[in-house]
């Protein structure tokens, strides 16, 4: 038996599609393009549920440490998705807590392939380190990360593109020698 | 140790108590100014990340080729400007986001967003000033 969810996004892709789950695995197909993402059941190791911009995200961890994300689920879909993960793949859908406090201070923590920014021990956002094109340390307490710009043609309809973030990390001043003088990579 | 006798060290503020309160507009993955909650919501790799206006110092904008760039500067310690009592430093060991920069091909929208943020900041500063005058 296959269960289908409509109006689901894959990754940061702007195209909506249909998401299907069955005993054999899960698949996403774009509505207006010939793009398909298929994951076979035995490859699925874990699943997480978290609030993102496009409603809720189902994040699936795969056996080769890769992961896939699907956005656009509704709050009410949680129990259904949790049931399907359990029934078909024998895994528990974990909820990842996201904070919306609106604070700009917290803890920056490398978690796998991401730099997570945590506020009161909850995730505020994650930055994929693979997307970092350049990083710099200025004045020992400031770290900047520049992101590789998309190769899409400029479009007024495109989402806003983050190009740089700067952190102030006061802790690095006290321990001399731990921070390299020119942190450029 | 500058807590102050009057207990005005840090005034607590919060944008949203939970995800349910996020405005629908965040779905577009574009910057959104929510006047009701005095919050600017930034898209970060799929996340909708709110920043209360109290955390924002100012914005700057510049045009370069096909794109307009918007930079949001935040209040952080270690900056010369700003009065100590106004800085939201609950945890002195924390890391801070100092700035975030975005680009868009829609310069008019970024003009509008920069204005909305600046106006909101002015409004809050004015209100704070009035509050202080009342207190004196």
């Amino acid at each position: 038996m296959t269960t289908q969810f409509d109006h689901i996004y894959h990754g940061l892709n702007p195209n909506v599609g249909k998401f299907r789950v069955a005993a054999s695995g899960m698949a996403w197909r774009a509505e207006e393009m010939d793009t398909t993402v298929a994951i076979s059941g035995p490859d699925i190791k874990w699943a997480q549920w978290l609030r993102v911009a496009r409603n809720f995200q189902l994040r699936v961890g795969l056996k080769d440490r890769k992961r896939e994300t699907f956005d656009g689920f509704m709050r009410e879909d949680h129990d259904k998705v949790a049931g399907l993960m359990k029934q078909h793949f024998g895994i528990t859908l974990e909820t990842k807590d996201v904070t919306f406090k609106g604070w700009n201070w917290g803890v920056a923590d490398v978690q796998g392939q991401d730099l997570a920014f945590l506020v009161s021990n909850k995730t505020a956002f994650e930055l994929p380190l693979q997307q970092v094109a350049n990083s710099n340390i200025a004045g020992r307490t400031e770290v900047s990360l520049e992101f590789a710009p998309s190769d899409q043609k400029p479009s007024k309809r495109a989402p806003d593109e983050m190009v740089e973030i700067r952190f102030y990390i006061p802790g690095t001043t006290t321990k001399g020698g731990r921070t390299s003088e020119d942190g450029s990579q | 140790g500058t807590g102050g006798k009057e207990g005005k060290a840090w005034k607590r503020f919060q944008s949203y108590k939970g995800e349910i309160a996020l405005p629908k507009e965040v779905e577009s993955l574009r910057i959104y100014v929510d006047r009701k909650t005095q919050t600017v919501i930034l898209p970060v790799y799929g996340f909708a990340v709110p920043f209360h206006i109290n955390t924002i110092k100012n914005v700057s904008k510049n045009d370069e080729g096909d794109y307009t760039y918007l930079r949001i500067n935040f209040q952080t310690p270690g900056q010369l400007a700003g009065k100590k009592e106004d800085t939201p430093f609950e945890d002195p060991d924390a890391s801070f986001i100092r700035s975030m920069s975005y680009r868009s091909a829609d310069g008019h929208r970024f003009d509008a967003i920069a204005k909305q943020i600046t106006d909101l900041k002015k409004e809050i500063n004015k209100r704070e000033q009035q509050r202080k005058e009342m207190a004196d």
Side-chain angles (χ1 to χ4, degrees):
Chain A
M1 211 191 81
T2 304
T3 309
Q4 181 174 305
F5 296 87
D6 293 333
H7 209 87
I8 301 296
Y9 301 92
H10 171 244
L12 293 172
N13 197 315
N15 304 304
V16 289
K18 294 184 188 310
F19 179 80
R20 294 187 176 120
V21 190
S24 58
M26 49 180 78
W28 176 85
R29 182 189 283 271
E31 256 164 37
E32 281 165 28
M33 298 169 96
D34 199 20
T35 317
T36 308
V37 179
I39 302 167
S40 76
D43 291 353
I44 300 166
K45 297 296 163 207
W46 51 264
Q48 278 180 341
W49 181 260
L50 58 144
R51 178 65 154 99
V52 290
R54 297 184 295 193
N55 291 297
F56 281 83
Q57 176 177 96
L58 171 65
R59 183 180 284 190
V60 182
L62 307 180
K63 63 170 183 191
D64 47 4
R65 303 183 95 199
K66 274 196 261 179
R67 72 178 193 207
E68 295 286 359
T69 60
F70 303 95
D71 294 0
F73 289 93
M74 293 294 128
R75 194 175 296 108
E76 311 81 73
D77 292 332
H78 172 271
D79 292 357
K80 196 170 169 186
V81 172
L84 291 165
M85 295 299 119
K86 186 61 105 187
Q87 179 197 341
H88 293 316
F89 317 118
I91 54 173
T92 303
L93 183 67
E94 292 166 42
T95 298
K96 191 180 180 78
D97 281 334
V98 181
T99 175
F100 301 95
K101 279 188 169 167
W103 297 355
N104 70 320
W105 63 97
V107 174
D109 186 29
V110 175
Q111 299 180 344
Q113 298 157 8
D114 300 304
L115 180 71
F117 193 72
L118 310 170
V119 173
S120 307
N121 291 318
K122 288 183 183 178
T123 303
F125 58 83
E126 293 167 339
L127 302 167
L129 291 171
Q130 282 172 323
Q131 296 296 317
V132 176
N134 192 31
S135 72
N136 248 294
I137 298 177
R140 287 175 164 256
T141 54
E142 187 172 287
V143 177
S144 73
L145 302 177
E146 283 169 38
F147 298 93
S150 78
D151 46 15
Q152 305 279 316
K153 272 197 192 141
S155 158
K156 290 191 176 184
R157 296 179 56 218
D160 292 338
E161 208 179 328
M162 186 181 176
V163 291
E164 192 209 50
I165 187 166
R166 284 173 186 268
F167 293 98
Y168 171 68
I169 303 175
T172 50
T173 42
T174 51
K175 303 271 190 293
R178 265 208 332 191
T179 315
S180 66
E181 287 294 332
D182 58 338
S184 301
Q185 290 176 357
Chain B
T2 51
K5 287 166 204 162
E6 293 124 89
K8 59 174 182 179
W10 187 61
K11 216 168 95 226
R12 185 168 281 265
F13 58 83
Q14 187 166 330
S15 290
Y16 304 100
K17 288 221 170 74
E19 61 83 20
I20 206 156
L22 278 183
K24 182 127 186 72
E25 286 84 351
V26 300
E27 265 182 65
S28 66
L29 303 180
R30 296 194 181 121
I31 299 170
Y32 181 69
V33 180
D34 187 357
R35 283 185 53 88
K36 243 185 352 202
T37 54
Q38 306 174 354
T39 293
V40 179
I41 307 171
L42 303 179
V44 181
Y45 286 95
F47 285 81
V49 189
F51 290 98
H52 194 279
I53 194 72
N54 288 2
T55 66
I56 296 173
K57 191 176 165 195
N58 56 35
V59 286
S60 65
K61 194 184 64 75
N62 70 301
D63 300 314
E64 246 180 80
D66 293 328
Y67 291 98
T68 297
Y69 290 79
L70 188 72
R71 177 169 164 154
I72 295 125
N73 293 306
F74 296 95
Q75 304 276 10
T76 63
Q79 287 171 330
L80 290 171
K83 284 161 266 160
K84 253 182 200 162
E85 64 193 80
D86 293 336
T87 41
F89 309 137
E90 190 192 43
D91 177 5
D93 295 324
S95 295
F96 288 77
I97 297 160
R98 182 162 265 179
S99 73
M100 286 167 88
S101 301
Y102 284 83
R103 73 171 194 181
S104 169
D106 190 350
H108 292 298
R109 228 188 81 249
F110 268 17
D111 281 344
I113 288 169
K115 190 175 181 305
Q116 285 173 45
I117 298 174
T118 306
D119 287 352
L120 187 55
K121 189 75 201 164
K122 273 189 204 154
E123 205 179 296
I124 298 302
N125 284 346
K126 197 176 156 192
R127 216 181 288 172
E128 182 64 14
Q129 201 54 45
Q130 283 170 344
R131 198 187 60 83
K132 274 182 190 161
E133 281 166 16
M134 296 281 279
D136 282 344

